[in-house]
Amino acid sequence: MGGGIKVHGVPISTATMRVLATLYEKGLDFELVPVDMKAGAHKQEPLISLNPFGQIPALLDGDLTLFESRAITDYIADEYNNKGEKLLCQSCKKLKAITKVWLQVEGQQFDPIASKLAFERVFKGMLGMTTDPAAVEDLEAKLVKVLDIYEARLSKSPFLAGDCFTLADLHHLPIIYYLMGTDSKKLFESRPKVSEWIKKITARPSWVKVLNLQKQ
Amino acid sequence: MMGTILQSRLLPIKLSHSSLLFSPSQHSRSNLKFTSKSSPSTITMASIKVHGVPMSTATMRVLAALYEKELEFELIPVDMRAGAHKQEPFLSLNPFGQIPALQDGDLTLFESRAITEYIADEYSEKGEKLMCPGCNKVKALTKVWLNVEGQQFDPIASKIAFERVFKGMFGMTTDPAAVQDLEGKLVRVLDIYEARLSKSEFLACDCFTLADLHHLPVIHYLMGTDSKALFESRPKVCEWVKKITARPAWAKVVDLQKQ
């Protein structure tokens, strides 16, 4: 049992959600330790000792402290490989390598654009700032090029890495979730395979649990 | 003359950055074949093919990993100027139209950081260890610093390299305001590196890992510009840069650029 796992973060943070989704997929016990972002707690001690970059989440597992959500999820998937859902295609070296490719695609091709779009459309409003329509247009133009590649990919396999749901799909959940609540959803909905993939991954019980945390 | 795939020929092949002679192999296709131990003109059958060019930072990342692992590979040049990376047949290797792509037998991969991880995993018993030895918890620290490079360092540093180095190559002008802004961000990252490297010889642990290696190409370029001051003014960072750039495998990558 992962009784010793603590996540420092907040349920609305996309990076925190990425980690929570993974913990739920693995059926692991954990404690969510809230961080007072408004007070800037993430930029001060004691959080800074957990993550010198002053960002959430950080994860503690016993005496191990980790930060960077994608390192945390990778660690959870490895360390708790035999628990809950498989999140990496372990058995086949080829599939494992292809999963690594699409993990990088999310981190290097999708997220840099999509997270800025989510910031414009969603988080700016929360922070009392105004969406910049020119920036949105520019970002959406870049995102559609990525989504066209996803459409072609998902025409060949049900999930990004292959036939099974992996971390490569999971990592997209938080940002896609936010964008689907905005006009940007049309970019996803107009692409049948992408749309189908989103319906599948957002319907997963673990993801529903993450969203429930936001409502509490 | 550069093509995406070089055909077997009894001719000297000139590339934008290298000039190599090779004799026909016994195989129907000959390409640039390199091993860490032999000269570039050695003809051996390599199952690993890298599609890229030696001046590309992402290609260099992969080449460094291959040299660290002492693996044989073929470097297949991609005619960037002709836009070969944005067309077939390259797009079938990487639909994002970016170099490098790697083929190992019937496996095709792209994204340099996925490729290096694959190399470190698949060939873990060969050459240098590129992950922290030990259990998952120790490996986890490498994952952290791999992500730091990809998410904190590179987005800033690669833009500085673009401003200071690559724009000039394309006949564009450096934007000094952009450089100033980016350097302002980079120093905050480097301060964290300075603190980290005061506690650990290398980023993830006391051994050189992929987490350090991934920094090499962009640091290499920045150290040839005024931005080097940011690294040199931080003693631990400076020491680390000296150590990792002095590695023989890295020297081989840099040599490829001179050919």
Side-chain angles (χ1 to χ4, degrees), chain B residues 217-232:
Chain B
V218 176
I219 284 183
H220 166 78
Y221 280 112
L222 292 182
M223 294 304 284
T225 73
D226 284 345
S227 291
K228 70 179 174 182
L230 308 184
F231 298 88
E232 288 175 343

Side-chain angles (χ1 to χ4, degrees), chain B residues 63-156:
Chain B
L63 299 177
L66 289 166
Y67 279 129
E68 290 283 352
K69 286 293 181 191
E70 298 168 15
L71 295 169
E72 293 188 5
F73 65 92
E74 301 174 29
L75 178 58
I76 299 172
V78 178
D79 192 346
M80 306 296 285
R81 217 169 271 218
H85 52 311
K86 303 286 179 192
Q87 309 164 34
E88 295 297 355
F90 187 79
L91 282 180
S92 294
L93 300 179
N94 182 359
F96 290 89
Q98 292 172 342
I99 53 171
L102 176 137
Q103 291 171 295
D104 190 358
D106 62 354
L107 181 63
T108 301
L109 304 174
F110 56 93
E111 288 297 328
S112 65
R113 295 171 185 85
I115 295 172
T116 58
E117 259 201 61
Y118 162 76
I119 290 165
D121 259 2
E122 181 67 8
Y123 300 100
S124 62
E125 301 305 308
K126 300 201 81 183
E128 298 291 323
K129 289 272 175 246
L130 293 175
M131 301 291 283
C132 284
C135 59
N136 283 343
K137 295 200 170 188
V138 175
K139 287 202 178 82
L141 290 174
T142 311
K143 296 182 204 280
V144 167
W145 290 93
L146 280 166
N147 272 275
V148 166
E149 185 275 331
Q151 295 290 327
Q152 308 289 349
F153 177 86
D154 188 72
I156 304 166

Side-chain angles (χ1 to χ4, degrees), chain A residues 34-204:
Chain A
V35 177
D36 191 347
M37 306 296 285
K38 222 167 262 215
H42 50 310
K43 304 283 180 191
Q44 309 163 32
E45 294 300 351
L47 259 301
I48 282 275
S49 292
L50 301 181
N51 182 358
F53 290 89
Q55 292 172 341
I56 52 172
L59 177 137
L60 280 77
D61 189 0
D63 59 357
L64 180 66
T65 303
L66 304 175
F67 57 92
E68 288 296 328
S69 64
R70 295 172 186 84
I72 295 172
T73 59
D74 203 341
Y75 161 75
I76 293 166
D78 257 1
E79 178 69 4
Y80 300 99
N81 179 47
N82 294 323
K83 303 204 81 183
E85 298 291 324
K86 288 269 174 251
L87 293 174
L88 292 166
C89 297
Q90 288 282 355
S91 49
C92 167
K93 84 153 194 215
K94 191 172 170 173
L95 274 175
K96 200 172 162 193
I98 292 171
T99 308
K100 290 184 204 287
V101 167
W102 290 92
L103 280 165
Q104 290 294 324
V105 167
E106 184 276 331
Q108 294 291 326
Q109 307 290 348
F110 178 87
D111 187 73
I113 304 166
S115 63
K116 288 187 181 77
L117 188 54
F119 181 72
E120 285 295 333
R121 284 208 185 269
V122 180
F123 295 106
K124 265 187 159 176
M126 290 184 191
L127 299 166
M129 298 161 71
T130 340
T131 304
D132 174 356
V136 168
E137 198 179 305
D138 178 65
L139 290 163
E140 287 194 340
K142 289 176 174 153
L143 186 57
V144 298
K145 287 191 214 150
V146 173
L147 292 181
D148 284 343
I149 295 168
Y150 278 41
E151 184 70 11
R153 175 64 186 172
L154 293 163
S155 308
K156 295 186 200 143
S157 65
F159 296 95
L160 287 173
D163 290 337
C164 39
F165 176 81
T166 67
L167 273 190
D169 307 288
L170 184 154
H171 283 180
H172 290 79
L173 278 163
I175 298 282
I176 284 182
Y177 163 70
Y178 279 114
L179 291 180
M180 292 303 282
T182 74
D183 284 347
S184 292
K185 69 180 175 183
K186 62 184 187 298
L187 307 184
F188 300 92
E189 288 176 340
S190 59
R191 289 164 174 80
K193 292 297 182 184
V194 168
S195 186
E196 193 181 314
W197 169 70
I198 289 177
K199 287 196 177 98
K200 265 188 313 214
I201 64 176
T202 53
R204 292 179 72 87

